[in-house]
Amino acid sequence: MENIYSNRVEVLPPDVANKIAAGEVIERPASVVKELVENAIDAGAADIRVEVRGGGLQLIRVIDDGAGIADDDMETCFQRHATSKIRSAEDLGQIRTLGFRGEALPSIAAVAKVTLVTRPGDSSSGSFAAFEAGAVTERGRRGCPPGTSVSVQNLFSNIPARLKYLKAAATELSHISHLISNYALAYPELRFTLINDGRLASQSIGDGNLVSALIKVYGITTAEGMFALEDGEETASSVHVGGYVSQPAISRSNRNCISFFVNRRWVQSRSLTYALEEAYHPLLADGRHPVAAVNVRLPFDEIDVNVHPTKSEVRFLRDREVFARLQKTVRRTLTTHVSIPALVSHPSALLPGVEKRLEVVADQNAEGRLFAHDDLERPGQIPKQPLEHDFSRRLPILRVIGQMGGTFVVAEGPQGMYLVDQHRAHERVLFERLARERGRKAENSQLLLEPLTLELTARQAALLTAKLGDLAEMGLALEQFGDHSFLVRSIPAVLVRADLPQALYEIVDQTIEDHANGDWQDRLTATLACKGAIKAGQVLSLDEMRELLVQLEATSLPPKCPHGAPTMVHLSQAQLEKQFGR
Ligand code: ADP
Ligand code: MG
């Protein structure tokens, strides 16, 4: 970013100020960090250090080695619409800096105690000023290195209503980590350091190489599995797309690892995300998302940044061209590296023929002609508490006849024929066993001969750390080592045959996503059961099928899998006879 600090800080005239997208900018600690980091970047800093205490509520301090602020500009900076970055309405049409609204410092000073210490490079000493409720409380000169340090204390302590909406310190910290990771990806030439409660939480290399930044943020395994985007020859276009995207074998269960930078501004964009994911179709299974750090560059007058007060959304003058260009570039990169037909995955493990037959059944079922498994629906509505002696939910004694499509157990009972989904039935069995064994580590956990390494993002690591005890209770022993990697020493015993480490990454994702909900352990138990259960397509012996039905029968709710889907369908003798027109 060019140095814009030859300009002094001035309050924008009302006609310009009125054209700036209005709204709240400081919603949570991470919003403060965002504004301060952006100011440091705009000031041409090379080294940006962020210190946080109490998830940012106690203290946020951002220290940079940038251009500094002139002593007699310090008060002006804290006035609304005071900026050194734009002067006129015309400038709004081609914003080149991250900031331009002149609202961050006054908005922060309105909700916290702010201390500013700064020294321009050409000044022999520094200045400091403290602000409370927006007014200066202390002022003076002080020796300090060139650059700026802004400390924000007791954020929102004057707005209890706002405090109420904030999450635990670990969650707020995770938002901050996520933010810093994204700025490290957007500016690989800058060194970002995050210190949490006095301990180093993350640090980027700052060598100007996006791969170094990706390694720091996502770990070496993921970074090595990413492809550089090749922009192609369409030189006529003013839109350029660069960065890195993951190979299809590397994916996530959410979109947290997808970042877009437009002219080096980190933006959220559904349309860009959609274009990116479309390019992966059909290489990723449903519900899987790539890892990506994508840089879009285009002339400054072809984007509008002044759409949202937090500046995290942009509008493109020629949006279709941008989306098409992104999609083409990603597509071209993926096709040159992977042979598509070999990689097309069948997310459903059902054999195609079985799928077809099931569709037919589902259709007829919808019309109520063939399958009327009322007797199975009814117990499904019974509240979850185990009612030991409620026989309406018990299975009758079933005789196994055989297996269909490697997926369904065909059985006969006094009331006709039963088709049991082997995967869902086993899920129900494992789910109840796991719930019983929770907290009994010796029984539910399996030591690994060689520990596995999970490489997480700083955000994931921050959130996961708070859950290590709970996970250990469920048999998953994780130990932090390095910035944000974890060693897996033992796994829940049900996972011995699961696809590791994929299953473990999913469990981590789920733990993090779900951790605010009270019943996250139940849902995690359901996931463990799912990962550990017999898969569809697995051939079973008669004995194995019998054993499965005996175990299913012993559960508290045989007809439903832990996710609430039916484990079986029932075709009564009477229905069969009707079908045959008897
Ligand atoms: P904006 O960034 O939109 O201009 P801010 O309220 O964030 O508005 O900052 C007001 C002004 O204070 C900036 O325009 C800049 O001149 C000055 N300033 C803020 N932070 C820094 C910093 N870290 N280094 C140098 N100047 C800064
Ligand atoms: Mg700013």
Side-chain angles (χ1 to χ4, degrees), residues 8-329:
R8 297 291 298 269
V9 183
E10 284 174 25
V11 176
L12 292 171
D15 64 311
V16 186
N18 288 339
K19 291 201 167 74
I20 287 175
E24 186 78 80
V25 261
I26 305 303
E27 290 173 336
R28 62 188 335 150
S31 348
V32 173
V33 177
K34 176 175 192 284
E35 295 296 335
L36 298 182
V37 164
E38 289 191 350
N39 281 347
I41 295 172
D42 282 345
D47 199 324
I48 300 173
R49 181 183 165 100
V50 180
E51 293 174 18
V52 174
R53 285 195 181 276
L57 290 172
Q58 249 172 287
L59 172 76
I60 293 168
R61 178 179 292 138
V62 176
I63 305 167
D64 69 55
D65 59 354
I69 301 172
D71 181 80
D72 47 4
D73 272 349
M74 289 173 70
E75 282 84 0
T76 318
C77 290
F78 284 83
Q79 287 186 32
R80 280 201 69 198
H81 298 305
T83 182
S84 56
K85 300 171 193 177
I86 63 164
R87 289 280 178 262
S88 65
E90 230 165 65
D91 295 340
L92 277 175
Q94 40 178 315
I95 293 162
R96 289 159 189 270
T97 46
L98 294 174
F100 61 89
R101 310 174 73 246
E103 290 201 295
L105 293 181
S107 310
I108 297 168
V111 293
K113 178 183 170 186
V114 178
T115 311
L116 172 65
V117 183
T118 184
R119 179 184 145 198
D122 57 5
S123 177
S124 56
S125 72
S127 311
F128 75 91
F131 298 80
E132 255 172 276
V136 180
T137 54
E138 274 181 84
R139 185 72 164 85
R141 307 284 294 182
R142 164 187 300 181
C144 67
T148 302
S149 147
V150 181
S151 306
V152 176
Q153 282 167 284
N154 305 333
L155 183 65
F156 300 136
S157 62
N158 60 348
I159 329 183
R162 172 53 59 87
L163 277 179
K164 230 172 38 194
Y165 285 98
L166 295 179
K167 300 272 165 48
T171 310
E172 296 304 329
L173 175 70
S174 79
H175 287 288
I176 294 171
S177 303
H178 186 57
L179 183 104
I180 301 292
S181 294
N182 276 285
Y183 279 89
L185 294 175
Y187 293 88
E189 75 277 28
L190 308 186
R191 187 177 178 91
F192 292 90
T193 306
L194 175 61
I195 310 275
N196 174 45
D197 290 332
R199 285 186 44 199
L200 179 68
S202 65
Q203 184 163 53
S204 69
I205 311 264
D207 63 356
N209 188 343
L210 179 50
V211 175
S212 310
L214 285 167
I215 292 173
K216 273 290 176 184
V217 172
Y218 294 124
I220 185 100
T221 321
T222 299
E224 273 178 351
M226 294 180 79
F227 302 136
L229 287 176
E230 286 143 32
D231 208 7
E233 300 85 48
E234 294 113 295
T235 38
S237 172
S238 56
V239 182
H240 293 278
V241 175
Y244 284 81
V245 297
S246 59
Q247 60 180 66
I250 292 175
S251 66
R252 299 286 190 270
S253 61
N254 58 48
R255 298 190 173 89
N256 286 341
C257 300
I258 299 178
S259 313
F260 292 105
F261 310 105
V262 175
N263 287 354
R264 313 198 77 191
R265 180 187 303 279
W266 178 35
V267 300
Q268 317 294 323
S269 164
R270 275 164 182 267
S271 320
L272 288 176
T273 308
Y274 182 79
L276 170 77
E277 298 206 310
E278 274 294 293
Y280 273 86
H281 191 76
L283 298 171
L284 288 182
D286 279 358
R288 305 301 299 176
H289 308 279
V291 179
V294 178
N295 288 306
V296 178
R297 276 181 302 119
L298 71 175
F300 284 102
D301 59 0
E302 291 194 13
I303 52 167
D304 185 0
V305 183
N306 188 21
V307 251
H308 194 270
T310 63
K311 303 162 291 178
S312 57
E313 285 169 29
V314 291
R315 206 177 285 138
F316 297 103
L317 186 65
R318 291 179 290 146
D319 51 359
R320 273 159 198 258
E321 185 184 331
V322 176
F323 304 145
R325 188 107 174 96
L326 168 67
Q327 199 166 325
K328 243 196 202 159
T329 308

Side-chain angles (χ1 to χ4, degrees), residues 336-541:
T336 50
H337 287 94
V338 299
S339 78
I340 288 187
L343 273 159
V344 174
S345 62
H346 288 286
S348 153
L350 293 174
L351 304 173
V354 173
E355 224 164 4
K356 190 111 230 130
R357 270 175 279 160
L358 279 182
E359 269 165 29
V360 172
V361 168
D363 281 344
Q364 291 170 332
N365 198 12
E367 291 162 35
R369 274 198 291 129
L370 187 56
F371 282 59
H373 43 284
D374 292 352
D375 50 334
L376 295 172
E377 284 305 325
R378 229 178 299 113
Q381 288 156 7
I382 294 173
K384 262 203 201 152
Q385 299 85 12
L387 300 169
E388 287 299 326
H389 301 291
D390 180 0
F391 287 94
S392 70
R393 58 173 56 205
R394 286 272 170 250
L395 276 184
I397 308 275
L398 298 179
R399 187 176 70 87
V400 173
I401 296 171
Q403 193 184 22
M404 193 186 98
T407 297
F408 301 104
V409 178
V410 185
E412 177 195 34
Q415 270 112 43
M417 188 177 99
Y418 293 77
L419 284 175
V420 180
D421 180 314
Q422 64 192 42
H423 172 70
R424 288 184 184 171
H426 198 208
E427 272 185 307
R428 162 60 58 194
V429 170
L430 291 180
F431 177 75
E432 299 204 0
R433 186 193 303 162
L434 286 169
R436 275 197 307 275
E437 286 176 354
R438 200 180 290 168
R440 305 210 304 253
K441 272 178 242 176
E443 284 162 58
N444 65 16
S445 138
Q446 168 78 45
L447 203 64
L448 293 179
L449 284 178
E450 269 188 43
L452 271 168
T453 308
L454 296 183
E455 286 168 341
L456 307 183
T457 64
R459 170 183 181 272
Q460 287 178 313
L463 286 171
L464 193 66
T465 309
K467 292 283 161 230
L468 295 182
D470 293 314
L471 288 176
E473 289 229 313
M474 301 174 86
L476 181 56
L478 296 169
E479 215 172 86
Q480 188 156 13
F481 98 112
D483 281 0
H484 25 81
S485 298
F486 287 79
L487 273 190
V488 186
R489 297 212 176 270
S490 56
I491 57 169
V494 283
L495 295 184
V496 283
R497 273 178 295 275
D499 171 20
L500 301 175
Q502 182 73 23
L504 293 174
Y505 276 114
E506 256 175 64
I507 287 163
V508 166
D509 272 347
Q510 196 188 340
T511 304
I512 289 166
E513 292 308 309
D514 262 16
H515 80 297
N517 301 315
D519 59 347
W520 71 276
Q521 274 169 306
D522 277 346
R523 272 182 289 156
L524 189 57
T525 305
T527 303
L528 288 179
C530 174
K531 298 284 162 209
I534 305 166
K535 304 264 171 302
Q538 191 172 325
V539 176
L540 301 178
S541 71

